[in-house]
Amino acid sequence: MTDSHQVPLPGSARSDPTGLQQVGPVQPDDVVSFTVFLRRRAELPDELVEGPDTVSVEELGDHYGARPDEVNQVRAALEAAGAQVVQVHAGSRRIVATAPASAINGLFGVTLTTVRSTHPGTGQPVEHRGRSGELRVPAALDGVVTAVLGLDDRPQARNYARVRDAAAATGPSYTPVQLATVYGFPEADGTGQTAAIVELGGGYEAADLTTYFAGLKVPEPKVTAVGVDGGKNVPGGDPTGADGEVMLDIEVLGAIAPKSDILVYFAPNTDQGFVDAISTAVHATPTPAVVSISWGQSEDAWTAQTRTAIDNALADAAALGVTVTVAAGDAGSADSGTDSQQHVDFPASSPHALACGGTSLHADASGTVQSEVVWNDGSAGGSTGGGVSDTFPVPTWQNEAGVPTRSGATTTGRGVPDVSAVADPQTGYQVRVDGKDTVIGGTSAVAPLWAGLICRYAQLLGKKLGLMQTALYDSASKGRTATGFRDITSGNNGAYTAAAGWDPCTGLGVPIGTQLQSVLQDHSGVATEHGWAGPG
């Protein structure tokens, strides 16, 4: 893309994070992998994203993917500048390429350096490629290229699994099967459904899955690892690390929908890896009913181009009928911010994601709820994420929910979360990780729990549910409990306090599974074998 007439790429500006240290130059012959994102040939209509109708992967690509001539134009520019194109996926508007570091400046008008920063999940120092300022592209590609990700390969996200401290445990714990009873899930097993899970590290041991599901006395689901951008299933033997996240996701989703096919997409924890994993999962064949994501980061920790690329991938999901469940974060209303302001987590804050918040639950052996409140164990123990986006406006389906104004502002935005379930590790999920039985919580557990429920709904209704919020919020108004939910009205996550109706702590509340099935049936007009005529 070497061109004397380069123009800035909007949204690509990246500033140095606090505490970043310069280590030295990137070696000229180091191979850099990156993904170039292209614009759509036509914008997705709202009625396709929010409506009951869906398109196939082929139709999405043909009508809303990248233009073939523009794909060829970008590919030619990359190759002319010394890059090697590795993959072209016009349907998801992506070109994956590699180039020596020495060519990056000519390609994108930026110099890469080796830097040291703090890992957002572990808090440990980590070395990676870095850049600052804006990227640039040839003037001929202005507007055609919408994002270039992967040049800076810093760890981008953190997972939201929290292992309970057994010595300090004060509450009960539950198997996913028990929670299905607590929340009144309809009887189903996910037959015929495909579920995807996005992971940015860690791995699973097949023997652990066999032992775990045998202990629950449910069928062991078919689980397949899929590598993206060099990512692999690599269990590290540390149940408190990324392995805990991976096993939690698989075991919770698999226990709720054991007859579903589960594909686990492993990608590097970079902005490029995250978006490529989501896009690969969403555009896969067969199209999944649901994608579960338990990784994220505060909205302001992403470049604008990355937020747009991920949001576009989630919009693709909605058009394909895929529901994407995303953990809302475990650091309360500040989302680990140090600026005394309130923040929400991304990609949970995308209007195309089903944002999943958390509660603290006490239920007896029969599944009867004794108490359920907002999860808040303080700064050390974690608290459900939630609040108001300062990036995304209020979606139309959330207009009547009573989302408050942003902190310190006069305008409002997308409210987070949408739904909830138990997340407190003190009242957490019984799982098995790296050969050990343990209890894990965090909003990480809520995303796969809802994903399993969605597989059940898709099986019973005979169709995918896509952007479920259009149905979930249909009966919601300020101060009023939405049909199909049990409202959580006690507790806070820092700046926000639970109240009747939707709130920025637990959203609409926790599911009453069978009631919510009726809501989804009525909204989609879909028949079932129980008095209806089958899929439409």
Side-chain angles (χ1 to χ4, degrees), residues 190 192-196 260-263 265 285-291 455 464:
Q193 307 308 310
T194 299
S260 61
D261 288 341
I262 300 175
L263 284 80
Y265 290 83
T285 302
T287 302
V290 66
V291 176
C455 284
K464 296 178 177 65

Side-chain angles (χ1 to χ4, degrees), residues 193-210:
Q193 307 308 310
T194 299
I197 299 172
V198 170
E199 302 291 2
L200 303 179
Y204 64 88
E205 296 281 4
D208 279 343
L209 298 180
T210 299

Side-chain angles (χ1 to χ4, degrees), residues 20-387:
L20 183 144
Q21 298 176 324
Q22 296 290 333
V23 176
V26 173
Q27 295 303 309
D29 57 352
D30 281 357
V31 176
V32 178
S33 172
F34 56 93
T35 301
V36 179
F37 293 80
L38 283 65
R39 65 185 174 189
R40 299 184 189 276
R41 65 177 69 190
E43 290 304 309
L44 281 172
D46 290 342
E47 57 269 25
L48 178 58
V49 175
E50 298 183 3
D53 295 331
T54 62
V55 294
S56 68
V57 171
E58 293 75 16
E59 290 169 331
L60 182 68
D62 289 345
H63 295 286
Y64 305 105
R67 291 170 53 99
D69 60 325
E70 293 183 344
V71 170
N72 292 335
Q73 182 185 12
V74 173
R75 178 171 190 156
L78 288 170
E79 292 176 339
Q84 179 179 354
V85 172
V86 175
Q87 180 187 22
V88 174
H89 195 285
S92 60
R93 307 168 306 285
R94 294 179 299 130
I95 298 177
V96 181
T98 60
S102 57
I104 294 299
N105 184 53
L107 278 164
F108 303 112
V110 67
T111 300
L112 301 179
T113 58
T114 300
V115 297
R116 184 181 296 113
S117 66
T118 301
H119 193 292
T122 66
Q124 298 300 310
V126 58
E127 286 191 6
H128 55 85
R129 290 192 306 272
R131 68 171 182 86
S132 60
E134 288 183 309
L135 301 178
R136 302 179 71 82
V137 296
L141 298 181
D142 188 18
V144 175
V145 172
T146 61
V148 178
L149 305 184
L151 304 182
D152 184 313
D153 63 348
R154 71 187 65 193
Q156 180 61 58
R158 53 184 185 252
N159 71 69
Y160 293 119
R162 284 181 175 257
V163 178
R164 178 163 75 171
D165 181 354
T170 58
S173 60
Y174 311 94
T175 70
V177 175
Q178 291 171 325
L179 293 174
T181 299
V182 169
Y183 293 124
F185 286 8
E187 291 296 330
D189 55 16
T191 294
Q193 307 308 310
T194 299
I197 299 172
V198 170
E199 302 291 2
L200 303 179
Y204 64 88
E205 296 281 4
D208 279 343
L209 298 180
T210 299
T211 300
Y212 180 75
F213 290 110
L216 292 182
K217 295 182 172 57
V218 299
E220 182 178 352
K222 178 184 176 183
V223 180
T224 305
V226 182
V228 178
D229 294 346
K232 296 179 180 179
N233 173 30
V234 184
D238 178 11
T240 65
D243 286 3
E245 179 62 68
V246 175
M247 297 298 284
L248 175 72
D249 292 341
I250 297 171
E251 289 171 353
V252 171
L253 199 163
I256 300 300
K259 291 296 183 69
S260 61
D261 288 341
I262 300 175
L263 284 80
V264 188
Y265 290 83
F266 289 96
N269 186 1
T270 63
D271 55 5
Q272 176 195 17
F274 205 172
V275 188
D276 282 348
I278 296 171
S279 292
T280 302
V282 166
H283 287 262
T285 302
T287 302
V290 66
V291 176
S292 178
I293 301 174
S294 294
W295 300 72
Q297 179 65 287
S298 180
E299 276 187 331
D300 58 348
W302 305 80
T303 60
Q305 65 168 353
T306 309
R307 286 195 303 264
T308 298
I310 290 179
D311 184 53
N312 282 338
L314 300 181
D316 283 357
L320 291 165
V322 182
T323 307
V324 184
T325 61
V326 184
D330 291 357
S333 61
D335 203 31
S336 297
T338 58
D339 58 1
S340 301
Q341 301 297 312
Q342 310 311 313
H343 299 279
V344 291
D345 212 71
F346 181 81
S349 66
S350 163
H352 302 112
L354 185 71
C356 300
T359 68
S360 180
L361 169 72
H362 287 77
D364 64 22
S366 70
T368 300
V369 175
Q370 298 165 325
S371 69
E372 191 162 14
V373 300
V374 177
W375 167 41
N376 188 344
D377 289 335
S379 58
S383 173
T384 181

